[in-house]
Amino acid sequence: ISDNLWICPEWHTPPSNDGRVIWITPGIAFGTGHHPSTALCIEKLATLNLEGTVVLDWGCGSGILAVVALALGADRALAVDIDHHALAATCDNAEKNNVNDRLEISRPEGVPGDFRCQLIVANLLESTLIKLAKTFEHHIVDKGKLLLSGVLEEQAANVILAFGPRYSFESFSRDGWTMITAQYEQAS
């Protein structure tokens, strides 16, 4: 991902011992870090000061984004997915990276109504992100950030429109995929 952050399967040797290695077992759950939508999120996570941060990883797949956030200093994370295989993979990958003590997993209906976080990461399809806009607004704190990915470049405007004027946005694209960063501003 960068000179000091490597995503590796267990059987691979990292190209360097200088930096942090995130061990991910590729399997049936989405998320090895190589797809542009995932890589853009990981690269952004690596630039953030995550100390004291609670993270919500919605559509966690392999758990790669939650695991990376925790490995980079987030206090705790809640990983959410509809697929039980994804939740099992997330638990397994969290254990491999010694962050399982700070990770909770849940299906969407199990997310507590009073759960609040400073960062939401969601690498999902455009239509799913649009459907989740109000849910994310409910869980994000004032000045909280969202990393929204899995969006084709031509779909980014639709996602931004769905989230609306309470956010300030930036977009980053690679190979036809866009990651949108958004900062939430509560109404006065």
Side-chain angles (χ1 to χ4, degrees):
I1 298 296
S2 67
D3 290 340
N4 60 356
L5 180 63
W6 305 97
I7 309 294
C8 293
E10 291 177 296
W11 58 87
H12 194 283
T13 303
S16 168
N17 291 326
D18 300 329
R20 180 171 303 276
V21 177
I22 306 297
W23 301 102
I24 297 292
T25 300
I28 59 173
F30 179 80
T32 62
H34 292 353
H35 191 274
S37 65
T38 311
L40 285 165
C41 288
I42 295 170
E43 289 167 13
K44 184 64 176 178
L45 286 170
T47 69
L48 300 175
N49 177 2
L50 297 174
E51 190 174 315
T53 302
V54 175
V55 177
L56 175 58
D57 179 0
W58 200 289
C60 62
S62 69
I64 189 169
L65 297 177
V67 168
V68 167
L70 291 166
L72 293 176
D75 279 4
R76 63 188 180 95
L78 175 59
V80 176
D81 209 295
I82 60 172
D83 183 346
H84 70 279
H85 293 296
L87 296 175
T90 296
C91 284
D92 184 50
N93 288 320
E95 285 181 30
K96 283 179 181 59
N97 291 282
N98 298 313
V99 298
N100 52 312
D101 60 329
R102 296 180 287 136
L103 178 75
E104 295 177 51
I105 65 165
S106 178
R107 291 184 48 85
E109 62 273 13
V111 176
D114 63 351
F115 179 83
R116 299 293 179 270
C117 60
Q118 291 82 27
L119 178 64
I120 296 175
V121 291
N123 187 10
L124 300 163
L125 299 174
E126 169 206 25
S127 60
T128 305
L129 289 171
I130 289 169
K131 288 177 191 171
L132 287 168
K134 292 295 181 201
T135 299
F136 290 171
E137 187 171 317
H138 174 77
H139 292 295
I140 198 75
V141 299
D142 189 35
K143 308 289 190 231
K145 292 188 182 336
L146 290 81
L147 306 183
L148 307 171
S149 201
V151 178
L152 295 172
E153 285 177 325
E154 61 270 14
Q155 298 170 334
N158 294 338
V159 173
I160 289 169
L161 184 63
F163 278 79
R166 289 191 176 172
Y167 295 87
S168 55
F169 299 98
E170 286 185 273
S171 297
F172 305 88
S173 296
R174 179 178 301 144
D175 299 333
W177 295 91
T178 296
M179 178 195 63
I180 301 162
T181 63
Q183 181 167 322
Y184 180 64
E185 304 283 340
Q186 281 185 341
S188 310

